[in-house]
Amino acid sequence: MCAVKQLKAWAMQLFFAWARLCEGCYGRHMAVAAERTAAQLAGPSAVVLVGSSKITLWKTMKEDLAPFEPLNCGFGGARSKDLLEFMPKLVLKHSPRLVVYYCGINDLHFGAEVEVPVANLRRFAEKLREAMPTAKLLVLAMNQAPLHFALGLEEKIRRCNQLMHNSSVELGFEFLDLFVQEPRFAWDTDLYAWDMLHLNREGYAILGNLLRPHLAEK
């Protein structure tokens, strides 16, 4: 079993290395993905979830977060700078009362220092406040998935989460670490797809149960 995990970790390392080498192509792919996502979404929504593949692949989001009707504005592979760039089309045009933000893990996959996603999150929070003063921002902590332990990223993720929490206190948005509330997220591969990174149906159901109470108006 350990050998299988290591092979999966190597496969994901190769993918991230390829993506770093092809930065230009990757950036263009992100632009296309964001534009495609924005084009498929229309109208106002009270609750918007925006971020990377953890959001994009949540196909049962409306079921898991009922009775709320969240809008899935994620796009796979997104980095924090991508969310900033496409914020008007993915978030602001929907006039949400609540924005749920999950992003930054791909910054670390690409080798960025922890300060990079934190700085972009701070800019996101400031831009949201400028454009929509009454909208609330709920930032989800980065998930330390089994793959991240295999890749040795757990300490960078921990530090990044701490800096994001500090920023939430300073800038007045909510920071929520749902993944520490369910310890299985750190080690139980039964909650993940083959890559030990993305959640499966069971994992998303647990995440939905943890997140749902925080979506109500306060």
Side-chain angles (χ1 to χ4, degrees):
M1 188 64 174
C2 290
V4 173
K5 285 185 178 182
Q6 191 59 56
L7 285 172
K8 291 178 179 180
W10 286 340
M12 296 303 291
Q13 279 183 313
L14 286 173
F15 170 76
F16 296 140
W18 170 84
R20 287 193 294 270
L21 288 172
C22 303
E23 171 65 28
C25 293
Y26 191 86
R28 289 192 293 273
H29 172 71
M30 288 299 94
V32 170
E35 292 286 357
R36 183 187 301 119
T37 299
Q40 294 171 351
L41 304 172
S45 179
V47 179
V48 163
L49 277 78
V50 66
S52 51
S53 54
K54 189 81 71 186
I55 301 299
T56 313
L57 297 175
W58 196 346
K59 303 304 182 184
T60 56
M61 179 183 290
K62 289 190 175 181
E63 175 185 343
D64 293 335
L65 297 179
F68 303 98
E69 296 184 359
L71 197 60
N72 188 331
C73 298
F75 59 102
R79 291 167 291 180
S80 56
K81 67 177 184 179
D82 300 315
L83 293 196
L84 272 176
E85 180 178 355
F86 297 101
M87 185 180 183
K89 293 182 178 180
L90 291 175
V91 177
L92 300 183
K93 78 170 188 178
H94 301 297
S95 303
R97 66 167 175 82
L98 175 65
V99 177
V100 180
Y101 178 107
Y102 181 89
C103 198
I105 197 67
N106 286 319
D107 298 59
L108 303 187
H109 289 162
F110 270 68
E113 295 301 320
V114 296
E115 291 80 8
V116 173
V118 174
N120 286 332
L121 167 61
R122 292 174 65 91
R123 291 176 60 198
F124 186 98
E126 290 165 354
K127 288 178 66 174
L128 180 64
R129 178 169 295 172
E130 291 171 4
M132 302 181 60
T134 62
K136 303 297 183 183
L137 176 61
L138 171 58
V139 175
L140 301 183
M142 294 183 193
N143 176 23
Q144 296 188 52
L147 176 68
H148 297 130
F149 288 91
L151 296 179
L153 286 175
E154 66 272 19
E155 179 58 23
K156 288 185 76 172
I157 294 174
R158 187 197 65 77
R159 286 172 52 212
C160 199
N161 283 339
Q162 182 60 56
L163 290 175
M164 290 195 295
H165 174 265
N166 295 347
S167 295
S168 74
V169 175
E170 180 183 346
L171 298 180
F173 59 82
E174 185 176 359
F175 178 79
L176 184 62
D177 194 342
L178 296 176
F179 298 102
V180 298
Q181 296 181 31
E182 174 47 80
R184 291 172 60 200
F185 279 127
W187 58 267
D188 192 347
T189 55
D190 287 341
L191 302 182
Y192 290 87
W194 70 271
D195 56 13
M196 305 186 297
L197 174 63
H198 298 103
L199 295 174
N200 60 19
R201 178 69 190 88
E202 182 181 357
Y204 276 122
I206 295 173
L207 182 60
N209 285 334
L210 294 173
L211 177 59
R212 191 185 307 110
H214 300 274
L215 302 184
E217 291 192 61
K218 299 177 181 179

